[in-house]
Amino acid sequence: MSTDVMHIGPGNSVAELKESILGHFCFDVGKSPEYATLHDWYMAVAYSVRERMMEHWVSSLERIRDKHQKIVGYLSAEFLMGPHLGNAIINLGIEQQIKEAAEQLNINLDEILQQEEEPGLGNGGLGRLAACYLDSLTTLKVPAIGYGIRYEFGIFDQMIRDGWQVEITDKWLRNGNPWEIVKPELNYGVKLGGKTQGYTDEKGGYRVKWIPEYEIRGVAYDTPVPGYKNETINLLRLWKSEATESFDFQAFDKGDYYGAVHEKVFSETISKVLYPNDVSEAGKKLRLSQQYFFVSCSLQDALRILELRGLSLDDLPDAVTFQLNDTHPSIAIAELMRLLVDEYMVDWDKAWECTRKTFAYTNHTLLPEALEKWSLPLFAHILPRHLEIIYEINSRFLSDIRNKYPGDDDRIRRMSIIDEQGSKYVRMAHLATIGSHAVNGVSALHTELLKQDVLHDFYELQPDAFFNVTNGVTPRRWIKLYNPRLASLISDRIGERWITHLETDLINLQSFADDLSFQQAWRDVKKQNKTDLAHLLKQRFGMNINPDSLFDIQVKRIHEYKRQHLNALHIIHLYNRIKQKRTDGITPRTFIFGGKAAPAYYLAKLIIKLINAIGETIDNDPEVNQFIRVVFFPDFNVKNGAHVYKAADLSEQISTAGKEASGTGNMKFSMNGALTIGTYDGANIEIMECVGEDNFFLFGLDAAEVKAIKQNGYHPYDVYNNNNDLKEVIDLIQSGAFSKGDTNIFKPLINSLLGDDPYLVLQDYQAYVDCQQRVSAAYNNEQAWTKMSILNVARMGKFSSDRSIRDYCENIWHVTPG
Ligand code: GL7
């Protein structure tokens, strides 16, 4: 059967592609090309490209049935895939043919690509990492399924009105989604609520059964994930929630029409919307229901696949490995135990061994507000049986600890899954750690801090279970697709192998770092990318920026720990100098910001307002704007990121040391030739080690110093009082200079900085300003700067997500890439 399918694959010649596009136009879009909109063309092209993945899809599914291959199940509440079409074209290796086919059809491929609404099913780095990992898993031919939620509404669209963020609901599905294939036959029931009941089984053993309050259904929506030119496809399998029955007939019989529809409405709510918080948790009932919903469907699916392969439950740990992308899916540990113990009647110890072997957990943040914990009453209300299972896991675990550390009650309290200080909570990070055979952080520093701090007791108990896997990003999307000029310049010199062998091959660029003609070509690429971005900002928003200025860019979620306001303080410092005619050493710069603030995060929204207020003031002041400009690029997402990273001269990675677990934007910038100004934090440290200290602008406190200063009592008001320059900057904001005389508007931000300044913005201010001065000086030496830029790219090979995935395969999953 599979070989028959192989033969029906469509061809990739220009003529065949053209015919295919026209065919889809007629049969799927159902219009005459005469009346076509650009979006119609997009759909026809997308269907043609998808068709070219389908033959590989079918043969790849065969691999998933191969019982000798271990499958990676990547469990993640977020997958920030970015637009599919451009990526699929690149990975299938048909960009030339598609371009020509489009030309012959008189359509503009770039315009077509712009039509795609990106599936924004993630908040930021964590969701985008999952997407890069799927690309690498497939490129490395590791059979994998990404399991998640098909949110009907992804991350909100951001508009800026009067300088403030306004959120608009994301309607990514409104024009249809040509990339997904619904599998109605793949659907699973998911129970929620109710109570549990003990009973005696045939053998006289005590068992528990869960009598749920209601049941919903999860239906699989599959999206093909193509590997890079390797005829391999993996699955992104997202679950949509539906009602088991459309109507509650009992209620309907009683004439209660609304009551009858109620359950249906609730069931469909589960996968309705992505929670828009980045690195912080809301602790809401719907959120826990979402997490359990997708995890339960995914585990049931994995057990079905196990059966399909003719394997037994004993084989589970060798047949599949589940990676928990943060704690969001960690309820999976209790769910697998429930399935094994309650439904398959496996005895507890065996089930526990199987569960621990099957799961591994990645921690993505140390911020306390992000460590998920659920209040006991809420947990008991939604998942009564899971709570019992968690109690059992906990009591067995704690009795081991008691044996190992007799009398150490404090340790018991610290390690328990149940937090009993004050109101009681289930700590999901503890469940994830106890229930996994491997725990990893996402950069060397982050893993160290995890071991020393947040999971210290667990590390002491089982040091061998802790690993570091430094994050990476895919060079296919982030260099080849989004920076084609740079990609072809690189390929001209070192060939094309870097696209899949970044770690070994990119370094070959190093020998051209001093080559003057290569340097010129390198600068030309950057200049063109900057000019493109300037045009785009002009066209879309009427902004005026000068491509000859230094492009200093900070794009990422807006958060106090990421310190966009530190960047803003430096801009005001320059503003003051220009106003005071102390312009010596000021290099013309364009400051570009982008990023969304969580809708309920007031200070983050105020930071956006401040940036826009500074931008507007400078726009209206020719004395200042001949030197500097500030723009806020609205609605930063993957699609907009395509224009931003490649245009940067300087990448801002200025989080308070110890707070940014890794960062991945830092990698995208550096790989595209930006130099970094950054703190000793997350993956910045490893980037600096690779590119060399001389090619990196480091400033500020390190994580140990941050900790020490906080312990010894930090007094931001004194810092402000003792630094005239800083004082001038803060006072200018307070004076209303950027807010048309309004002295109240920025008060909450100023009060926070002068009050407790939790992220040490003021403490790092002077070091940052001094470092920026070094940046300006360095930028004025064109040749030296270009050399540094080339060396940055050449030495970034380590940060390919292919390397990260190989690390996971070797150390955690014990899978051999194909
Ligand atoms: C994050 C970290 O904040 C970020 O530093 C890291 O690069 C990313 C991927 O590992 O994970 N953790 C987190 O909760 N979010 C992140 O982006 C949302």
Side-chain angles (χ1 to χ4, degrees):
M1 174 61 193
S2 61
T3 41
D4 289 340
V5 172
M6 295 294 280
H7 287 301
I8 60 164
N12 288 337
S13 70
V14 175
E16 285 162 319
L17 281 164
K18 226 171 89 179
E19 193 182 313
S20 164
I21 295 171
L22 286 172
H24 283 290
F25 211 100
C26 177
F27 301 121
D28 293 310
V29 179
K31 269 193 190 174
S32 147
E34 230 181 306
Y35 303 106
T37 63
L38 273 174
H39 190 266
D40 294 333
W41 281 115
Y42 159 73
M43 292 297 270
V45 174
Y47 281 126
S48 304
V49 170
R50 190 185 87 177
E51 190 170 277
R52 276 147 183 85
M53 297 197 271
M54 291 316 289
E55 58 169 318
H56 308 316
W57 168 304
V58 174
S59 48
S60 296
L61 285 186
E62 290 292 308
R63 281 183 327 134
I64 285 183
R65 285 170 174 242
D66 174 358
K67 64 177 173 191
H68 304 295
Q69 293 241 25
K70 199 178 204 179
I71 303 173
V72 175
Y74 198 84
L75 295 176
S76 180
E78 303 188 5
F79 285 94
L80 194 46
M81 299 298 283
H84 292 290
L85 179 57
N87 188 248
I89 290 173
I90 293 276
N91 279 15
L92 290 173
I94 56 173
E95 60 265 48
Q96 265 321 312
Q97 297 95 303
I98 281 275
K99 229 180 237 160
E100 266 182 65
E103 258 165 41
Q104 291 183 18
L105 289 167
N106 262 324
I107 50 179
N108 176 331
L109 189 59
D110 288 334
E111 278 177 12
I112 301 286
L113 290 169
Q114 276 308 312
Q115 292 302 306
E116 182 168 350
E117 289 242 20
E118 84 173 72
L121 309 186
N123 274 289
L126 176 140
R128 181 55 229 175
L129 187 78
C132 283
Y133 282 0
L134 288 185
D135 181 86
S136 287
L137 280 160
T138 317
T139 296
L140 292 169
K141 294 195 175 182
V142 177
I145 304 178
Y147 281 116
I149 301 173
R150 182 182 177 274
Y151 300 107
E152 188 179 332
F153 301 104
I155 186 70
F156 61 87
D157 293 337
Q158 179 194 55
M159 281 184 35
I160 302 295
R161 269 194 223 134
D162 188 28
W164 293 98
Q165 166 174 298
V166 175
E167 300 94 26
I168 314 283
T169 43
D170 157 67
K171 301 177 198 75
W172 71 289
L173 289 168
R174 79 186 128 183
N175 295 317
N177 173 10
W179 301 101
E180 67 185 7
I181 296 178
V182 54
K183 299 275 172 69
E185 75 282 11
L186 289 185
N187 66 86
Y188 302 99
V190 177
K191 303 171 204 167
L192 290 165
K195 57 181 186 186
T196 64
Q197 208 170 61
Y199 70 99
T200 313
D201 66 14
E202 303 98 73
K203 292 181 197 151
Y206 178 75
R207 298 264 166 203
V208 177
K209 116 171 127 203
W210 177 13
I211 303 159
E213 191 184 340
Y214 44 87
E215 186 171 318
I216 58 178
R217 201 145 277 281
V219 179
Y221 282 68
D222 286 353
T223 299
V225 178
Y228 185 72
K229 293 188 184 172
N230 67 355
E231 311 201 334
T232 304
I233 302 288
N234 273 321
L235 285 186
L236 171 62
R237 178 161 285 169
L238 302 179
W239 303 103
K240 174 179 192 263
S241 63
E242 290 185 355
T244 339
E245 298 290 338
S246 295
F247 282 102
D248 175 340
F249 283 104
Q250 263 183 348
F252 196 47
D253 281 348
K254 284 188 233 139
D256 181 8
Y257 183 79
Y258 287 99
V261 184
H262 174 263
E263 186 178 324
K264 175 173 161 58
V265 172
F266 174 76
S267 308
E268 289 173 355
T269 302
I270 300 267
S271 62
K272 196 55 106 187
V273 58
L274 169 78
Y275 276 89
N277 299 324
D278 190 69
V279 290
S280 71
E281 278 317 319
K284 294 276 160 44
K285 176 179 168 193
L286 181 62
R287 167 91 172 172
L288 181 59
S289 307
Q290 283 185 338
Q291 296 180 346
Y292 177 62
F293 161 73
F294 96 87
V295 153
S296 172
C297 291
S298 308
L299 290 187
Q300 293 183 62
D301 194 49
L303 294 183
R304 179 191 59 89
I305 294 172
L306 190 77
E307 201 179 310
L308 211 67
R309 294 167 133 198
L311 297 173
S312 76
L313 286 174
D314 290 338
D315 302 315
L316 188 66
D318 296 319
V320 46
T321 178
F322 284 115
Q323 191 65 35
L324 301 171
N325 197 27
D326 217 286
T327 52
H328 318 146
S330 58
I331 186 62
I333 288 165
E335 171 68 352
L336 184 58
M337 285 301 286
R338 188 190 67 82
L339 287 167
L340 295 177
V341 172
D342 291 0
E343 309 221 341
Y344 291 89
M345 310 294 168
V346 178
D347 75 55
W348 182 280
D349 289 324
K350 212 168 147 195
W352 184 240
E353 190 191 330
C354 174
T355 298
R356 287 202 68 224
K357 280 188 184 160
T358 305
F359 285 103
Y361 158 51
T362 306
N363 173 287
H364 289 271
T365 178
L366 304 171
L367 294 194
E369 66 265 36
L371 294 178
E372 286 190 299
K373 48 180 199 170
W374 299 105
S375 84
L376 280 195
L378 183 133
F379 206 100
H381 180 65
I382 301 172
L383 300 170
R385 178 58 184 142
H386 295 79
L387 187 57
E388 290 174 359
I389 290 172
I390 287 172
Y391 281 150
E392 183 66 25
I393 293 172
N394 200 37
S395 99
R396 289 169 183 244
F397 173 72
L398 294 181
S399 98
D400 287 351
I401 301 298
R402 249 179 230 112
N403 287 337
K404 204 162 170 178
Y405 305 95
D408 194 345
D409 289 347
D410 209 39
R411 187 181 296 263
I412 301 284
R413 216 176 18 75
R414 291 196 309 265
M415 296 183 84
S416 171
I417 300 177
I418 309 298
D419 179 348
E420 309 208 25
Q421 298 149 295
S423 319
K424 293 185 182 171
Y425 292 96
V426 185
R427 297 160 162 160
M428 298 311 269
H430 291 201
L431 176 64
T433 305
I434 295 165
S436 297
H437 67 277
V439 176
N440 76 284
V442 291
S443 72
L445 173 73
H446 170 64
T447 301
E448 267 325 296
L449 295 176
L450 205 57
K451 293 198 279 194
Q452 288 169 19
D453 204 9
V454 176
L455 296 180
H456 177 70
D457 294 318
F458 298 92
Y459 173 63
E460 240 177 33
L461 183 70
Q462 268 204 314
D464 296 345
F466 283 73
F467 298 87
N468 174 245
V469 182
T470 297
N471 284 167
V473 301
T474 171
R476 270 74 67 183
R477 184 180 286 269
W478 295 110
I479 306 177
K480 184 169 160 84
L481 177 61
Y482 287 160
N483 197 351
R485 293 186 184 106
L486 188 73
S488 58
L489 180 60
I490 296 173
S491 297
D492 275 354
R493 294 297 161 120
I494 65 168
E496 289 209 326
R497 245 181 58 115
W498 61 271
I499 298 166
T500 47
H501 294 72
L502 208 72
E503 220 179 341
T504 51
D505 284 28
L506 203 54
I507 193 73
N508 295 332
L509 265 187
Q510 230 180 191
S511 48
F512 302 99
D514 287 305
D515 174 335
L516 293 186
S517 75
F518 186 70
Q519 284 192 356
Q520 188 55 53
W522 192 266
R523 275 195 297 275
D524 290 346
V525 165
K526 186 59 82 181
K527 179 68 185 289
Q528 287 171 43
N529 291 343
K530 289 166 72 175
T531 307
D532 284 355
L533 178 59
H535 281 151
L536 186 143
L537 291 174
K538 172 82 193 167
Q539 221 179 22
R540 273 198 217 165
F541 310 109
M543 298 170 179
N544 288 308
I545 63 171
N546 169 14
D548 287 319
S549 62
L550 186 166
F551 278 18
D552 177 336
I553 310 190
Q554 187 170 20
V555 285
K556 50 180 79 244
R557 286 297 288 253
I558 311 293
H559 199 294
E560 289 164 275
Y561 87 78
K562 294 175 187 281
R563 301 199 294 191
Q564 281 89 356
H565 43 345
L566 177 58
N567 190 339
L569 295 186
H570 168 244
I571 297 171
I572 299 172
H573 156 89
L574 293 179
Y575 175 95
N576 278 338
R577 272 172 58 187
I578 296 166
K579 286 311 235 184
Q580 295 157 8
K581 316 239 180 298
R582 295 188 289 124
T583 56
D584 243 30
I586 294 187
T587 300
R589 287 200 202 206
T590 304
F591 296 90
I592 300 170
F593 290 85
K596 297 174 186 176
Y601 187 172
Y602 182 69
L603 278 187
K605 291 178 133 176
L606 194 55
I607 290 173
I608 295 180
K609 173 68 179 171
L610 175 65
I611 291 163
N612 283 311
I614 298 169
E616 195 189 329
T617 308
I618 293 176
D619 273 347
N620 294 322
D621 187 338
E623 188 189 353
V624 180
N625 68 35
Q626 59 179 315
F627 288 101
I628 56 174
R629 288 257 181 196
V630 179
V631 298
F632 191 94
F633 189 158
D635 202 33
F636 185 69
N637 55 16
V638 176
K639 200 170 163 184
N640 288 329
H643 309 286
V644 171
Y645 294 109
K646 66 175 179 183
D649 294 306
L650 188 67
S651 152
E652 296 274 352
Q653 307 301 335
I654 59 177
S655 52
T656 315
K659 301 293 179 198
E660 189 71 272
S662 162
T664 43
N666 46 5
M667 301 169 189
K668 293 164 198 165
F669 275 114
S670 180
M671 268 181 201
N672 283 285
L675 305 196
T676 305
I677 181 164
T679 44
Y680 209 73
D681 199 16
N684 292 354
I685 299 173
E686 288 156 82
I687 292 175
M688 184 176 76
E689 282 165 6
C690 287
V691 306
E693 281 176 37
D694 297 345
N695 304 307
F696 190 104
F697 297 95
L698 177 71
F699 75 96
L701 301 180
D702 66 21
E705 290 165 336
V706 165
K707 197 172 166 187
I709 214 168
K710 288 215 159 185
Q711 268 166 6
N712 300 335
Y714 170 52
H715 305 290
Y717 197 82
D718 295 346
V719 179
Y720 157 86
N721 252 334
N722 294 329
N723 183 332
N724 273 334
D725 177 58
L726 172 61
K727 197 161 182 304
E728 267 180 43
V729 166
I730 300 257
D731 291 351
L732 195 66
I733 303 175
Q734 264 176 324
S735 75
F738 304 108
S739 39
K740 306 186 174 87
D742 182 341
T743 54
N744 281 320
I745 178 167
F746 296 119
K747 253 196 188 137
L749 195 58
I750 303 289
N751 288 347
S752 161
L753 289 176
L754 297 180
D756 64 342
D757 188 15
Y759 298 101
L760 302 178
V761 173
L762 302 193
Q763 181 64 36
D764 270 342
Y765 170 82
Q766 197 56 52
Y768 180 58
V769 169
D770 293 346
C771 190
Q772 285 287 20
Q773 194 57 44
R774 287 193 277 130
V775 170
S776 293
Y779 191 72
N780 290 334
N781 184 343
E782 198 176 66
Q783 263 184 38
W785 184 276
T786 310
K787 180 176 175 179
M788 290 196 280
S789 166
I790 296 170
L791 289 178
N792 259 267
V793 175
R795 296 171 178 174
M796 281 298 288
K798 168 175 169 185
F799 301 95
S800 165
S801 44
D802 297 347
R803 190 270 312 143
S804 313
I805 289 299
R806 275 199 209 93
D807 287 353
Y808 278 104
C809 284
E810 197 178 316
N811 299 322
I812 296 178
W813 302 332
H814 308 295
V815 168
T816 321

